[in-house]
């Protein structure tokens, strides 16, 4: 059975904006973030692939030009639409994706499958 978790109204996440959230997977509380990247909604676990620390500094995920996500601790640069690290200490690894769906104007996170 697919589990979802409410995130926000779609209107509350316009292009260029991000939103942090918490979710539980395998009994562990985890941090995530969603972003509207030029009209494309994406979501990832909020953990750098170099050392699992949050990427952001106070919900600030984008580089200054707004083109990429950046780890504020390590300087790793990630492509926002696929989460792949293109520069920095985790070269080639990708952020762990989460799926975002819109249901009647509300954005919801599709939670990862739990082990049987």
């Amino acid at each position: 059975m697919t589990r979802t978790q409410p995130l926000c109204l779609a209107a509350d996440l316009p292009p260029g904006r991000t939103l942090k959230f918490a979710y539980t997977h395998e009994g562990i509380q985890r941090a995530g973030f969603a972003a509207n990247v030029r009209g494309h909604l994406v979501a990832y676990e909020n953990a750098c692939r170099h050392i699992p620390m949050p990427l952001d500094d106070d919900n600030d995920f984008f580089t200054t030009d707004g083109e990429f996500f950046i780890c504020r601790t390590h300087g790793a640069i990630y492509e926002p639409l696929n989460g792949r690290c293109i520069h920095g200490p985790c070269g080639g690894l990708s952020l762990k994706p989460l799926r975002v769906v819109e249901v009647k104007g509300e954005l919801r996170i599709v939670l990862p499958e739990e082990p049987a």
Side-chain angles (χ1 to χ4, degrees):
M1 171 185 261
T2 301
R3 300 178 311 133
T4 65
Q5 174 179 306
L7 183 60
C8 66
L9 295 176
D12 293 338
L13 195 62
R17 299 282 300 232
T18 57
L19 179 67
K20 295 191 320 185
F21 59 91
Y23 67 101
T24 302
H25 179 57
E26 298 178 335
I28 300 169
Q29 182 87 3
R30 300 175 191 269
F33 73 99
N36 185 328
V37 181
R38 298 177 297 281
H40 300 279
L41 299 173
V42 297
Y44 298 100
E45 184 175 333
N46 186 6
C48 182
R49 292 307 308 266
H50 172 228
I51 296 174
M53 297 179 65
L55 293 172
D56 68 308
D57 180 24
D58 197 27
N59 201 34
D60 186 12
F61 291 90
F62 283 104
T63 53
T64 54
D65 63 6
E67 292 296 314
F68 301 97
F69 295 141
I70 184 169
C71 174
R72 300 289 173 193
T73 302
H74 309 112
I77 304 290
Y78 296 91
E79 292 181 344
L81 295 180
N82 63 22
R84 189 173 64 86
C85 181
I86 58 170
H87 178 76
C90 53
L93 296 176
S94 295
L95 296 171
K96 294 179 183 176
L98 297 167
R99 197 163 60 105
V100 182
V101 294
E102 185 175 344
V103 179
K104 297 179 182 176
E106 178 184 59
L107 298 180
R108 301 184 70 84
I109 298 299
V110 177
L111 299 171
E113 296 279 327
E114 293 291 340

